[in-house]
Amino acid sequence: MIAISLGFPIDALLEEEIRAGVVRQLGGKEQNDYIVGKNHILARWRSNVEVWLSKGQIKETVSNEYEHLISAAYDFLLYNGYINFGVLLPLTSLMPELTNEGSVIIVGAGLAGLSAAKQLMSFGFKVIVLEGRNRPGGRVYTQKMGKKGQFAAVDLGGSVITGIHANPLGVLARQLFIPLHKVRDNCPLYKPYGAPVDKGIDSNIELIHNKLLDKVMELRKIMGGFANDISLGSVLERLRQLYGVARSTEERQLLDWHLANLEYANVGCLSDLSTTFWDQDDPYEMGGDHCFLVLQGVQQETTLQYSLITSQTSPAPDS
Ligand SMILES: Cc1cc2nc3c(=O)[nH]c(=O)nc-3n(C[C@H](O)[C@H](O)[C@H](O)COP(=O)(O)OP(=O)(O)OC[C@H]3O[C@@H](n4cnc5c(N)ncnc54)[C@H](O)[C@@H]3O)c2cc1C
């Protein structure tokens, strides 16, 4: 399940694995054995993400005849950041003091830049991170509000772990012992003056919204390249008129709520989103619950940022 959530096919190899030459022959028994070994390593690392998993520990649990496959799987997972990543302490102590792999300049101290920096440092590279702003974190930024001693923390950027299955952010939370709070599945809607929306109408309009999107996907297959230049908004409105759905004021308001939510999720107006590409990141969606970090005071939030930034084992500063 972990391997699937990470995007590994059940019975095939990723292009990257093929390029890395993890097996001598594709499609046979050796490939199957490699996949079983890889899944074993992934499961073992995920069962305790607080400590470094060594190749030796894995080899102890597997028969000698599979040693070369285990070695290939371990190296692939390690160098591609599937295991032994994050803020686990042995990683920092394993970082070589004298680097010998060369130097890398990373532009941007957001999550991606900081994670890449940490990973490269653990491989022995000298890393310099250049950041244009006067703070790290990029699009993740927690604003402290209030007086001294009475703070509230407000996230102005990324805050929800959107699907906990195999999500590397979930691994970071576990390594920092930060509990997670599941976001409720149900989302009751209210009319403009506060009365709750009738559940029947609510679920009916949600169904209509989803069906309209299904139709968009069918239609764009037929349209081919033409769909690139036609906005998602215009196709949805045309389909709504064609099927004569969401006609009453209340129904229309509810459908508009879903459309506004779609714009929020895509960070753009429906009139600016292309019919072809509006859902291009769907294959990378993580499964499982959506969660917030439970922060007891603002200290922990800064810990997450500073743990990514520093490779030191010293405690995070107060602010
Ligand atoms: C309001 C909002 C809410 C969000 N909510 C969520 C959420 O709940 N869950 C979720 O998973 N994601 C959420 N996201 C998305 C998430 O925050 C981003 O996907 C993630 O932070 C991107 O990280 P990154 O390192 O790739 O890029 P960024 O965080 O954008 O980092 C890029 C960094 O590079 C710097 N930079 C750029 N160009 C240069 C340059 N030329 N020289 C020097 N520095 C440069 C920038 O200043 C920035 O610090 C949200 C985003 C926003 C804006």
Side-chain angles (χ1 to χ4, degrees):
M1 287 305 291
I2 295 167
I4 291 170
S5 306
L6 286 168
F8 286 107
I10 294 177
D11 53 2
L13 300 180
L14 294 177
E15 279 296 316
E16 292 91 328
E17 290 174 298
I18 297 170
R19 273 201 301 276
V22 292
V23 293
R24 283 167 294 206
Q25 233 186 358
L26 292 178
K29 178 178 179 312
E30 193 191 34
Q31 178 175 304
N32 278 347
D33 292 341
Y34 165 85
I35 291 173
V36 172
K38 177 179 70 183
N39 292 349
H40 172 60
I41 299 170
L42 279 172
R44 179 85 188 262
W45 148 250
R46 290 285 174 143
S47 70
N48 185 4
V49 292
E50 282 129 41
V51 292
W52 179 276
L53 177 65
S54 71
K55 202 184 272 187
Q57 283 170 301
I58 291 293
K59 280 183 180 169
E60 277 168 18
T61 62
V62 182
S63 157
N64 281 348
E65 66 177 298
Y66 301 111
E67 198 173 317
H68 67 290
L69 291 178
I70 285 295
S71 188
Y74 182 91
D75 290 344
F76 179 83
L77 294 173
L78 180 69
Y79 288 108
N80 287 278
Y82 290 105
I83 57 168
N84 291 338
F85 66 86
V87 292
L88 70 176
L89 290 184
L91 182 64
T92 52
S93 58
L94 283 169
M95 286 177 183
E97 277 189 19
L98 285 174
T99 58
N100 49 17
E101 293 285 352
S103 303
V104 178
I105 295 176
I106 291 180
V107 180
L111 273 178
L114 295 176
S115 309
K118 192 142 195 150
Q119 195 77 354
L120 286 167
M121 284 163 74
S122 75
F123 295 157
F125 288 89
K126 186 178 176 199
V127 178
I128 296 170
V129 181
L130 301 178
E131 171 52 52
R133 295 187 227 205
N134 61 1
R135 61 163 182 84
R139 276 174 276 169
V140 176
Y141 182 58
T142 309
Q143 173 86 56
K144 278 188 277 181
M145 297 168 84
K147 291 186 235 143
K148 208 174 177 192
Q150 277 187 315
F151 285 119
V154 180
D155 277 307
L156 302 183
S159 56
V160 184
I161 300 184
T162 48
I164 198 68
H165 286 167
N167 195 322
L169 293 174
V171 170
L172 286 180
R174 278 169 68 193
Q175 289 170 335
L176 292 165
F177 304 104
I178 301 178
L180 298 177
H181 173 79
K182 178 178 171 327
V183 178
R184 284 182 308 169
D185 288 330
N186 62 334
C187 173
L189 298 179
Y190 297 89
K191 294 183 202 176
Y193 295 102
V197 168
D198 176 82
K199 280 194 179 140
I201 300 179
D202 187 1
S203 52
N204 186 32
I205 294 296
E206 188 177 353
L207 193 74
I208 287 173
H209 172 250
N210 291 336
K211 282 202 166 158
L212 287 177
L213 287 177
D214 289 345
K215 284 282 165 208
V216 170
M217 289 189 261
E218 280 173 29
L219 206 59
R220 73 179 172 197
K221 274 193 198 146
I222 301 165
M223 289 162 79
F226 292 114
N228 297 0
D229 301 322
I230 298 177
S231 79
L232 175 64
S234 63
V235 177
L236 278 172
E237 181 53 20
R238 222 16 108 72
L239 286 168
R240 189 193 69 78
Q241 288 171 6
L242 193 70
Y243 289 103
V245 287
R247 280 174 155 166
S248 74
T249 308
E250 186 178 9
E251 287 174 339
R252 186 65 223 232
Q253 279 176 339
L254 280 173
L255 184 66
D256 282 346
W257 183 87
H258 285 285
L259 299 180
N261 196 35
L262 195 59
E263 292 190 326
Y264 160 76
N266 281 289
V267 200
C269 295
L270 294 183
S271 53
D272 292 334
L273 293 168
S274 99
T275 302
T276 309
F277 299 114
W278 69 274
D279 57 349
Q280 65 180 356
D281 59 345
D282 277 10
Y284 306 103
E285 258 182 22
M286 309 262 175
D289 292 336
H290 289 204
C291 298
F292 282 113
L293 303 180
V294 178
L295 299 173
Q296 280 114 25
V298 182
Q299 172 76 29
Q300 277 181 324
E301 149 257 323
T302 48
T303 309
L304 184 58
Q305 291 182 359
Y306 277 95
S307 304
L308 272 166
I309 299 157
T310 62
S311 57
Q312 313 301 318
T313 51
S314 55
D318 277 332
S319 59

